[in-house]
Amino acid sequence: MVNNKASALSLAVSALTLAGSADAFWRLPCRGRTGVGRLDPIMDPGEVSDHVHVIHGGNKFGIDNTPQDLASSDCTSCAVTQDKSAYWTPPIYFLHSNGTAEMVEQVGGMLAYYLLYTDSANPNGKITAFPEGFQMISGDKRQRSFPYPIPDNDKSSWTADQKTQSALSQKALGFNCLNYAATPEASLYRHFLPDKDYLDANCLDGIRLELMFPSCWNGKDVDSDDHKSHVAFPDLVMSGACPEGFGTKLPSLFFETIFNTYAFKGMDGQFVLSNGDPTGYGYHGDFQMGWDSVDFLQSAVDTCTNASGEIEDCALFNIQSEADQGQCTFAEVDAIKDDNPLGPREDGLPIAVPIQSGPSYATNYPVVLAGDETQAAATSTKASSKATTSAASASAVVPTLSYTPGTSSVTDKYGGGILLAETASSYVQSPTAVVSVSASTVTAAASLADAETDAAGNIIATSWYTSGNQVMEMMIEEVDVTVTATAVETANAHARRHVGKEHRRVRGHPRR
Ligand SMILES: *[C@@H]1O[C@H](CO)[C@@H](O)[C@H](O)[C@H]1NC(C)=O
Ligand SMILES: *[C@@H]1O[C@H](CO)[C@@H](O)[C@H](O)[C@H]1NC(C)=O
């Protein structure tokens, strides 16, 4: 149905295909944070972790909890009270040029998407709820390079090397530059953290960190030694076929967290993940299953399939207020109670985390406890001098990347939004952008106005988003238009494709 010769457009087309398919999902907000700290009960059970995480979900979380422990949580920081799972990822810090570090404000908690994609090798197969005791990680905190094409080449042309589990895992993370006044960027489009000049110039609403988890399971182990090998990515990261031996399809988990990097506009310094990573390639996250019961989650997977993705459209879910989500915290953990993870901290990242810019694989470093003055002082001097020297080299290795517009829509008041559908695709790259754009501006010759004149198409998706104080309903209609695109590798290519046609309707009251 799509005869697409322009490579830069293929991403948009495949996202539209997703939106038009019957794949269901729900978007679970976790507006509260149960805590912030150097904890990771999957990777470092019983020990202080070597970097800080922002943590959401059930409150029976701690230094060594198991998934089963979460079931006895008194509360959850997520919207659905039957979900006491735990979700955690590293936050972004701003490292001032004088070495002082502070955590960047996290906006709106997090969103955990449960995408109900079947295995494309077994499209009529079922989706199996996470079993009791299940836990996994996605990403690798020590990764500092990305040896594949930037931006991703068309998925249909991925070679075997580009589909190894390691390759898929490196493409499973994204940094979405947020500017609500512009067409949204595609999800999982940019696999690195843009440098500060780029963020200052373009990302007026901050940056959205995105992480896809593996969704193919070996059907028997609830965990594995590396917390990864019991699961695998399907061959298109988000969708596609599961590898042999991993034929049990789980819900596809996708995390989104937003950080207000724009608050540091014009200030000297650099952004860095809590694990000392200025590149973003070492982004990662963890999940522990803590739904009230496997049977409950299975019922939700089987029946909560309204295309809206709204949890309100699932009758099974008990939904609590944002205020209640915000009140759920885990008990203080003694070993980290003096950490001051939010900062500002004059001695850099909490605590004594060296900045490692790569491209070589990052090395492990000692965990320094708060109050261990001698060791902390010695290590932090090393850390901050590294920070200073690495600022220049980190920005030097940031890849250039053209903008890919409009494969997702903002559907959440805090700026969450994945895979819904393409909006108008005319976009002109800001001339102040640091990233080189000379040959890469995508200009759609056809606009939605042109699409309006076409015969009515099929409504293939409906979504809701907030604009100012109003709730907008967007219906995506499938229509054929002809566009002319000047794309990265395909100058003056002509492509026939489908674009989304928007209908906006304003509801009379602000969304809560
Ligand atoms: C470092 O710079 C920041 C921003 O100007 C400032 O807030 C902080 O106090 C400075 N730290 C030190 C140790 O001077
Ligand atoms: C999906 O939810 C909407 C409300 O957002 C409702 O009007 C519609 O009937 C639901 N669809 C199905 C198939 O249940």
Side-chain angles (χ1 to χ4, degrees), residues 441-466:
T441 304
V442 175
T443 311
S447 67
L448 289 177
D450 297 329
E452 297 283 358
T453 64
D454 278 28
N458 304 318
I459 301 288
I460 56 171
T462 304
S463 66
W464 297 89
Y465 65 100
T466 318

Side-chain angles (χ1 to χ4, degrees), residues 94 96-100 102 267-268 344-346:
F94 185 63
H96 294 272
S97 50
N98 61 10
T100 295
E102 55 185 303
M267 298 170 83
D268 271 351
R345 316 171 41 91
E346 291 183 9

